[in-house]
Amino acid sequence: MEQKGSVACEPEYDCPECKDKGFILKNIPDLDLDGNQRSWPNGELKFNETIFDCSCAKKRQSRHLLKISELTDEFKRVTFRVFVTEGKPQLIREAYDCAIDYYKDYESIKDERQNSICLLGQPGSGKTHLLTALTNNLILKKQVRVMYFPFVEGFNDLKDDFALLEEKLNKMKRVDALYIDDLFKGRSFPTDFQIEQMFAVINYRYLNFKPLLISSEKTIDDLLDIDEGLGSRIKEMSKGYTVVIKGNRNELNHRLAGE
């Protein structure tokens, strides 16, 4: 029983402005064609009650998209800010600039033929870092639904549980943007199964103008040698946003820096 004189506690909200509803009701003046506010017969000004998204709605959406992206907890913390370009070879700076440019251009190119990005070549050169930072920015700042697919681990999971195959491939085909990390890593030449499944996904996305974010130690020529249909689609989709990092491994691989 509530004691006499006690004050009922107000519920706590994550967002006091909308009380966690995700929207706010505002009274907007009802204007005529000349821009004058209409009035009721009694002379009071007329208003229309209008629903607006609260600023917290995008934050909640971003948190949800990040949760379902399949990024690891460590990868969710990766940013552009901590990527070091000072003193690095020109190709590393070009890869950084390419990822930044793609982020800035995403909304204007996402429905075009050239709507994808590829960072290829030297292991340890920061390809995964840059594309992961790009993924985090697309999710958190533009509310883009991105799915992360690490090639080696992803195919090991599919190989161990074929029941997952159709569901996983459908997600990879339909998600707003698909991030494939280390495409065709793990052996000198991928299996027929890997090529067939990757072609099915990439061809679907090619036909439906859906962006790809790809990191790989393979070059475009390597991808064409593996499967010309697959490689040529990737090349066309990522035209203008491809950097191939090749050169002195001791300079390009941050794990070998100084050796």
Side-chain angles (χ1 to χ4, degrees), residues 218-230:
K218 309 295 186 185
T219 65
I220 290 293
D221 283 341
D222 293 333
L223 295 175
L224 290 169
D225 288 341
I226 290 170
D227 186 278
E228 191 166 328
L230 181 149

Side-chain angles (χ1 to χ4, degrees), residues 36-212:
N36 300 313
Q37 189 170 0
R38 295 186 174 96
S39 300
W40 293 104
N42 64 2
E44 290 185 6
L45 295 175
K46 292 183 73 173
F47 293 87
N48 292 320
E49 194 171 53
T50 307
I51 295 177
F52 291 89
D53 287 336
C54 181
S55 60
C56 72
K58 285 188 176 181
K59 294 178 183 178
R60 284 205 300 273
Q61 183 185 11
S62 295
R63 288 196 296 267
H64 173 69
L65 291 173
L66 195 62
K67 183 177 180 180
I68 65 173
S69 67
E70 303 193 23
L71 285 169
T72 64
D73 289 340
E74 181 182 0
F75 274 18
K76 291 174 184 175
R77 295 188 291 270
V78 174
T79 66
F80 285 124
R81 183 172 49 83
V82 298
F83 188 83
V84 178
T85 58
E86 185 176 355
K88 297 290 185 179
Q90 179 63 28
L91 282 172
I92 303 298
R93 294 195 292 273
E94 288 180 12
Y96 174 86
D97 290 342
C98 182
I100 294 291
D101 288 343
Y102 183 85
Y103 169 75
K104 292 177 180 178
D105 297 342
Y106 180 81
E107 289 172 326
S108 64
I109 67 171
K110 63 185 178 67
D111 298 317
E112 303 296 325
R113 171 54 66 218
Q114 283 82 41
N115 61 5
S116 302
I117 180 172
C118 283
L119 301 183
L120 309 173
Q122 178 64 50
S125 57
K127 303 184 302 295
T128 293
H129 183 128
L130 289 172
L131 290 186
T132 303
L134 172 59
T135 294
N136 286 329
N137 275 272
L138 289 174
I139 292 173
L140 295 174
K141 296 180 181 179
K142 296 185 185 289
Q143 289 74 54
V144 178
R145 191 162 65 101
V146 187
M147 178 180 174
Y148 172 64
F149 182 77
F151 182 81
V152 175
E153 295 87 345
F155 267 99
N156 284 340
D157 291 342
L158 294 178
K159 180 182 64 177
D160 294 337
D161 189 353
F162 276 97
L164 289 174
L165 183 62
E166 185 174 356
E167 178 185 355
K168 188 80 166 184
L169 293 180
N170 281 333
K171 287 181 180 179
M172 292 170 68
K173 290 175 180 178
R174 299 179 186 278
V175 70
D176 293 344
L178 175 64
Y179 170 20
I180 304 174
D181 191 22
D182 271 331
L183 176 63
F184 294 137
K185 185 178 176 66
R187 53 194 301 156
S188 58
F189 202 86
T191 65
D192 289 343
F193 174 76
Q194 290 172 332
I195 295 172
E196 289 168 6
Q197 303 311 319
M198 279 293 93
F199 181 83
V201 169
I202 290 169
N203 186 53
Y204 181 93
R205 300 189 68 82
Y206 175 85
L207 294 174
N208 290 277
F209 294 83
K210 288 182 168 290
L212 290 165

Side-chain angles (χ1 to χ4, degrees), residues 83-93 122-126 245-259:
F83 188 83
V84 178
T85 58
E86 185 176 355
K88 297 290 185 179
Q90 179 63 28
L91 282 172
I92 303 298
R93 294 195 292 273
Q122 178 64 50
S125 57
I245 303 171
K246 284 289 188 181
N248 187 330
R249 70 177 64 178
N250 291 322
E251 294 178 354
L252 295 171
N253 188 333
H254 69 87
R255 303 182 190 98
L256 303 177
E259 293 190 7

